[in-house]
Amino acid sequence: MKRLQYLLFVLCAITATAQEVKTQEPRTDDNKFRQMYDLLATPNMYRTASGAPGPAYYQQKADYKMDIEIDDKNARLYGVETITYHNNAQESLEYLWLQLDQNMRAANSKTPLVQNTRADVAISAAGFSRKYLEQSFDGGFKIDYVRDAAGKPMDYTINETMMRIDLAKPLASGEKISFSIKWWYNINNYMINGGRSGYEHFPKDGNNLYVIAQFFPRMAVYNDVEGWQNMQFWGSGEFALAFGDYEVNITVPADHFLDATGELQNRSEVFTAEQLKRYALAQKTFDKPVIIVTQAEAEKNEKGFSDKKKTWKFKAENVRDFGISTSRKFICDAMAVQLESKTVMAVSLYPKEGNPLWEEYSTRIVAHTLKSYSKHTFDYPYPKAISVNAQDQGMEYPMICWNFGRPDENGKYTDRTKWGMMGVIVHEVGHNWFPMIVNSDERQWTWMDEGLNSFLEFVAEKEWDPNWPTPRGPAKNIIPYMSGDQRGIEPIMTNSETIRQFGNNAYGKPATALNILRETIMGRELFDHAFKTYANRWKFKHPTPEDFFRTMEDASAVDLDWFWRGWFFTTDYTDIGIKEVKRFFVSDVAPEGFKAAEATRRNRRNMTGPMVFSVVEGSTDYKPAMNKPLNIKEVKTLDEYLSNNFTTAERAALKSPKYFYEVTFDKPGGLVMPLIVELTFEDGTTENHTFPAQIWRLNDDQVSRTFAVQKAIAKIVVDPKEETADVDTANNHWPRVAEKSKFD
């Protein structure tokens, strides 16, 4: 009967368990360490699983020959170009897409219509007039013609900021086509109408300082990922462009000084004899800038307003864009920079309003940036890098960039102005690598150029001065953003045009993520090798996020899927705390209720020989007499085991801990991160432990670690150096400090 009752009991238990299982929801794999097959594009012959270009990888080429004239009196640009487009894809193309980014400022542009507007509580009379009364600026390209190589008109359609040219017959794989476009447009005063390029007007002397870009119809990218990247330009997502060779002739007033992308072909025609001598000296001077155009010469030019013209001729090879800067006001200095494999020139153009700040710092920081970025990626491949002082600007193009920062009218400047000006120069010169050479799709993924560049900017700034007050890079600086209202935050992997907090999302957070990878997760040696591998694999090519993620893992043997998933695909934040701390003492007496069978099951390998037991302080088995440091040698059974299994010399080399602490850590935040713990002992000394992020792989909520130490612990701190962007440090301390949690 008893046997039958037992069988019935077991059967009921099994049935009940089965019914209980049936009522549970089915589970999917939501482990933070699962691989990212659900998020990344499938590898193929174009882009391999290792993150490298595949055997079928290709990219198109677009060569330009242009004649440009800048009408200074009317602030207007005229141009004619011949584009030769090479189709290296396996498929034929029925039409071509070109970018017309100036059309964002056209009178019929839809860009202003997608912006939210609110009534101003207070506004200047001039501002009110511009906003509500005056006719809007008449910008945008005016296309005079599009012609084929024989001079015949070609069919084209303009859709806002994109232009489609319909081909008479498909452009087959391996073929090229040449066609010409003539255009003009009114140059915007960017101080009034905004924009990444245009001119700044100086009322005191009547001159303009031009920073000219997006000034010509440019070929859009066609590749294996997007086909044609013909997403409209709404103002945030920047420019996906093809590489090619450029020949550009630029005509400006004869009293202007000009520089641009590429190598100047007719320096002897546009420089004075004295300027030629100074430039020759600069090419051999590596320790300080040489003044090419002096301030006195620039001030003399300001008063000229010549009716004569001068043409500057440039050639550039393997670049993705072209920029120009010209003015009567320019002072110019330059110096040579020795890289590992070549010598290049660092150059600055600035008006007298930029001095003394620019003469002191600009070219020197350009030179430093070239050296620092080259060290961490590849040697700068172009012949020069130019920094142009343009108020309220910060924008980059191959070999040339515009940067803000000026002293006041008396030549005085604050540290904030100095560091800000130097920081923007590092950043914009750094963009020569990302995305001018490692040519990611800015129209789609801003973080791939801004984030990676902001990270290297942080590294370069700290190499210049460890005390540089850099705003982006340190983990603690991103906490206010990551802990903010989730309704105003998007993942890093968000299209450029739909990001609300642009600077934090596309610049700050990815820069912080890479800094944490380098300093805390991978270590500098592994990270630097992997990052350099990515840069070299994809220089002069078009990488995607998958190519970056995969290369970083492929070149380091560090599984980072958990990191990319959390930091780049979610808006989770870091919050790791101390939940509980227990102190144990060792004993050779079994605690009350000790179950040998269960202990054996949980710890099979360490249950042979005499038993040593742990007694938690404060438990019913804890005896007040034990409230003292207890040397493990005082435990009878352990002493016997050591005597029987170790020689005297071996025993002398063994550790002898006196205190045993079991610390339970919880993780209220969603991000998986390494567990960094600092133990502070009663004598003031410290001991640091770092546990890899994989410690959370089996339990995303909490984990425990036991610390066997020789001295009593007075304090335990999680993330003591603020390395992980932990948003709530109130739970990082034991004993709990009197710090209010942001979540209380």
Side-chain angles (χ1 to χ4, degrees):
M1 178 64 74
K2 288 183 179 179
R3 180 178 177 82
L4 178 59
Q5 289 175 338
Y6 174 75
L7 290 173
L8 289 172
F9 171 78
V10 171
L11 181 60
C12 291
I14 293 173
T15 303
T17 302
Q19 290 175 343
E20 182 180 350
V21 169
K22 287 181 180 179
T23 62
Q24 293 177 351
E25 292 292 330
R27 289 191 60 196
T28 58
D29 183 6
D30 58 357
N31 189 285
K32 298 289 179 66
F33 291 89
R34 67 192 187 278
Q35 296 297 286
M36 292 204 303
Y37 300 128
D38 57 326
L39 295 175
L40 302 186
T42 303
N44 52 49
M45 294 296 285
Y46 302 109
R47 297 165 192 274
T48 67
S50 70
Y57 177 83
Y58 72 90
Q59 63 190 40
Q60 312 291 60
K61 188 171 186 283
D63 299 327
Y64 299 82
K65 292 185 177 180
M66 285 188 274
D67 290 300
I68 304 298
E69 182 169 354
I70 295 175
D71 178 352
D72 186 36
K73 292 182 179 179
N74 298 299
R76 186 171 288 179
L77 182 146
Y78 296 91
V80 60
E81 66 182 350
T82 297
I83 302 175
T84 301
Y85 187 73
H86 305 253
N87 181 20
N88 297 319
Q90 291 299 307
E91 61 270 25
S92 298
L93 302 176
E94 301 174 63
Y95 43 75
L96 308 177
W97 280 103
L98 287 82
Q99 299 185 30
L100 302 180
D101 301 295
Q102 289 294 331
N103 282 4
M104 189 184 73
R105 281 183 284 274
N108 62 347
S109 172
K110 292 181 181 178
T111 299
L113 304 180
V114 303
Q115 309 302 325
N116 287 294
T117 60
R118 304 186 69 177
D120 298 287
V121 176
I123 187 172
S124 69
F128 185 90
S129 176
R130 282 196 300 269
K131 187 171 183 178
Y132 297 110
L133 306 180
E134 299 175 19
Q135 195 170 27
S136 60
F137 173 71
D138 181 21
F141 286 108
K142 278 66 173 178
I143 304 294
D144 288 340
Y145 64 70
V146 179
R147 295 174 179 169
D148 64 17
K152 296 180 180 179
M154 300 178 74
D155 292 333
Y156 66 91
T157 300
I158 295 177
N159 177 13
E160 298 293 323
T161 61
M162 302 299 301
M163 177 169 70
R164 187 188 71 238
I165 298 178
D166 297 316
L167 303 180
K169 66 173 185 175
L171 182 65
S173 175
E175 291 185 347
K176 62 183 178 179
I177 186 172
S178 294
F179 57 96
S180 299
I181 304 175
K182 185 179 182 182
W183 78 96
W184 64 273
Y185 70 88
N186 293 315
I187 304 173
N188 55 303
N189 181 333
Y190 71 77
M191 298 292 289
I192 295 175
N193 300 304
R196 290 169 168 79
S197 65
Y199 70 89
E200 174 188 359
H201 185 68
F202 291 80
K204 288 187 177 180
D205 54 49
N207 280 286
N208 294 335
L209 187 160
Y210 293 90
V211 285
I212 301 296
Q214 291 89 252
F215 64 89
F216 59 103
R218 303 177 295 173
M219 291 302 307
V221 166
Y222 182 88
N223 66 16
D224 61 288
V225 178
E226 296 278 349
W228 284 108
Q229 174 47 288
N230 55 10
M231 184 182 295
Q232 294 290 340
F233 179 48
W234 295 103
S236 294
E238 290 181 358
F239 316 111
L241 299 163
F243 287 104
D245 300 332
Y246 286 70
E247 294 182 24
V248 184
N249 302 323
I250 309 158
T251 300
V252 294
D255 47 5
H256 272 219
F257 190 84
L258 182 151
D259 214 336
T261 300
E263 294 191 80
L264 182 59
Q265 302 298 298
N266 61 334
R267 194 178 305 277
S268 61
E269 297 175 10
V270 294
F271 275 37
T272 67
E274 191 60 35
Q275 289 167 356
L276 286 170
K277 293 179 183 178
R278 296 167 188 163
Y279 187 80
L281 176 61
Q283 290 178 302
K284 299 179 290 185
T285 303
F286 295 86
D287 59 340
K288 61 182 180 180
V290 175
I291 303 293
I292 310 299
V293 179
T294 68
Q295 182 164 329
E297 290 169 338
E299 290 178 351
K300 181 180 178 181
N301 289 338
E302 285 179 353
K303 303 170 184 177
F305 295 93
S306 174
D307 289 328
K308 296 180 180 180
K309 299 178 182 180
K310 184 186 293 185
T311 299
W312 301 62
K313 300 178 181 180
F314 292 87
K315 284 187 179 181
E317 295 181 355
N318 209 14
V319 295
R320 51 157 264 176
D321 203 355
F322 201 94
I324 304 166
S325 191
T326 182
S327 180
R328 294 183 185 86
K329 295 179 66 64
F330 276 146
I331 303 164
C332 176
D333 66 52
M335 64 183 285
V337 183
Q338 184 62 56
L339 304 179
E340 185 174 338
S341 62
K342 61 186 301 187
T343 299
V344 299
M345 297 298 292
V347 184
S348 293
L349 301 177
Y350 46 95
K352 64 177 185 294
E353 287 79 4
N355 266 339
L357 184 61
W358 275 68
E359 183 176 324
E360 178 66 23
Y361 289 108
S362 177
T363 298
R364 288 181 170 89
I365 200 67
V366 171
H368 170 74
T369 305
L370 294 174
K371 293 177 182 178
S372 178
Y373 276 64
S374 294
K375 178 175 65 175
H376 292 288
T377 56
F378 47 79
D379 269 7
Y380 184 67
Y382 296 134
K384 65 184 179 185
I386 312 160
S387 169
V388 180
N389 181 212
Q391 189 73 320
D392 294 342
Q393 282 285 349
M395 196 58 200
E396 73 282 355
Y397 302 92
M399 306 184 217
I400 191 168
C401 56
W402 351 124
N403 305 300
F404 62 76
R406 286 179 189 158
D408 62 23
E409 292 184 356
N410 299 314
K412 304 295 183 182
Y413 55 87
T414 63
D415 282 346
R416 181 177 180 179
T417 298
K418 181 191 79 171
W419 291 118
M421 165 260 200
M422 293 172 66
V424 73
I425 292 175
V426 174
H427 185 89
E428 305 306 341
V429 171
H431 269 308
N432 277 287
W433 280 263
F434 304 95
M436 298 301 148
I437 299 169
V438 183
N439 190 11
S440 56
D441 182 355
E442 296 180 273
R443 192 60 54 89
Q444 186 68 268
W445 307 115
T446 298
W447 72 266
M448 286 198 73
D449 67 292
E450 298 295 357
L452 271 61
N453 185 44
S454 293
F455 161 71
L456 276 186
E457 174 194 350
F458 170 76
V459 173
E461 288 169 352
K462 291 301 183 183
E463 289 178 349
W464 173 277
D465 184 345
N467 297 314
W468 188 310
T470 182
R472 290 176 175 140
K476 64 181 180 180
N477 291 3
I478 202 64
I479 289 174
Y481 170 66
M482 294 183 68
S483 63
D485 188 341
Q486 291 285 308
R487 293 171 297 180
I489 302 175
E490 293 82 30
I492 291 174
M493 288 292 292
T494 298
N495 176 264
S496 302
E497 294 293 351
T498 57
I499 300 170
R500 283 169 287 190
Q501 299 189 50
F502 207 79
N504 285 321
N505 178 287
Y507 295 66
K509 187 179 176 183
T512 300
L514 295 180
N515 189 40
I516 290 174
L517 268 186
R518 185 176 190 243
E519 301 294 347
T520 303
I521 295 172
M522 299 176 70
R524 291 189 178 185
E525 182 178 359
L526 285 174
F527 179 94
D528 288 354
H529 174 76
F531 194 84
K532 182 175 283 192
T533 298
Y534 167 72
N536 280 277
R537 279 180 174 179
W538 289 98
K539 63 184 178 182
F540 299 110
K541 295 182 177 68
H542 303 293
T544 66
E546 288 91 342
D547 300 321
F548 176 67
F549 297 150
R550 287 169 170 151
T551 295
M552 291 299 292
E553 296 189 31
D554 181 69
S556 67
V558 179
D559 182 3
L560 295 170
D561 282 29
W562 61 271
F563 185 83
W564 309 129
R565 184 184 293 275
W567 275 85
F568 285 75
F569 288 87
T570 78
T571 60
D572 283 348
Y573 51 81
T574 307
D575 184 14
I576 299 173
I578 301 171
K579 183 178 182 180
E580 185 180 32
V581 178
K582 294 179 182 178
R583 183 158 73 166
F584 288 82
F585 294 97
V586 294
S587 171
D588 48 21
V589 179
E592 185 178 345
F594 172 74
K595 298 179 180 179
E598 180 181 351
T600 302
R601 179 179 61 80
R602 296 175 60 185
N603 198 3
R604 292 181 184 277
R605 288 177 296 177
N606 296 316
M607 295 301 294
T608 59
M611 302 296 297
V612 176
F613 304 97
S614 296
V615 179
V616 65
E617 183 178 25
S619 71
T620 56
D621 298 302
Y622 175 73
K623 304 296 188 291
M626 298 176 65
N627 189 16
K628 62 183 180 69
L630 182 63
N631 194 311
I632 57 174
K633 293 179 181 178
E634 298 176 25
V635 180
K636 180 181 176 181
T637 55
L638 178 61
D639 188 58
E640 291 175 351
Y641 173 77
L642 296 175
S643 297
N644 294 334
N645 291 277
F646 295 86
T647 66
T648 302
E650 289 173 334
R651 289 190 65 178
L654 295 175
K655 296 179 181 179
S656 184
K658 296 182 176 65
Y659 299 90
F660 303 86
Y661 296 82
E662 181 187 88
V663 185
T664 300
F665 304 91
D666 59 1
K667 191 171 69 64
L671 281 184
V672 172
M673 291 295 285
L675 178 58
I676 306 170
V677 184
E678 181 179 78
L679 310 178
T680 300
F681 302 105
E682 288 183 339
D683 64 359
T685 58
T686 60
E687 184 176 290
N688 291 280
H689 300 263
T690 298
F691 305 100
Q694 283 75 10
I695 194 172
W696 304 98
R697 73 197 186 285
L698 301 180
N699 190 335
D700 193 50
D701 297 320
Q702 66 180 46
V703 296
S704 297
R705 291 293 305 187
T706 302
F707 299 93
V709 293
Q710 292 183 318
K711 295 175 286 188
I713 296 176
K715 182 172 66 173
I716 304 175
V717 179
V718 171
D719 193 16
K721 297 180 181 178
E722 301 178 306
E723 297 177 59
T724 66
D726 195 314
V727 304
D728 182 19
T729 57
N731 61 355
N732 287 26
H733 303 264
W734 176 86
R736 189 71 174 259
V737 297
E739 178 182 347
K740 185 177 180 181
S741 167
K742 79 176 288 295
F743 300 104
D744 287 344

